[in-house]
Amino acid sequence: ISVPFTALRAGVNQKSYVFVYDPNRQTVNQQEVQTENILNNIAFISSGLKSGEIIATTGVAFLRDGQKVTLLDNKIQRFN
C-alpha cells in the first residue's frame, strides 16, 4: 500500500505509525506499519494497513491515539 510520506509518524526503535480513522467512533487510532521504501515522498507499506482504510495524511504530529476527529473533506483521496 502506498501512502504520502507525511502520513508517517516516527516512534521509538525506528518504528513507524499511521493514524487510522474509525468512522463509527469518529476517532483516529495509532497503528504500527512496516515501511519498505520511500520514493518521491510516497511511503510503501508492506504490513499494518488494509486496503480502503482512511488515514490522516497531515498534522499527524498533533494527533493522539483515540482522539476524536472530524473529516474536513468528504472527498477521500485514495493513494493505492
Side-chain angles (χ1 to χ4, degrees), residues 21-66:
Y21 178 70
D22 179 345
N24 296 323
R25 300 174 85 186
Q26 294 185 330
T27 59
V28 286
N29 301 301
Q30 184 172 286
Q31 191 162 299
E32 185 178 348
V33 293
Q34 177 67 43
T35 58
E36 292 302 320
N37 199 1
I38 296 172
L39 182 62
N40 296 326
N41 293 321
I42 299 294
F44 296 91
I45 308 294
S46 61
S47 65
L49 278 180
K50 297 177 196 154
S51 183
E53 286 184 310
I54 300 169
I55 62 168
T57 57
T58 58
V60 296
F62 303 102
L63 295 175
R64 67 181 189 284
D65 195 32

Side-chain angles (χ1 to χ4, degrees), residues 5-22:
F5 177 72
T6 57
L8 295 179
R9 181 173 191 176
V12 294
N13 297 325
Q14 298 182 341
K15 292 185 180 183
S16 297
Y17 299 90
V18 296
F19 283 96
V20 178
Y21 178 70
D22 179 345

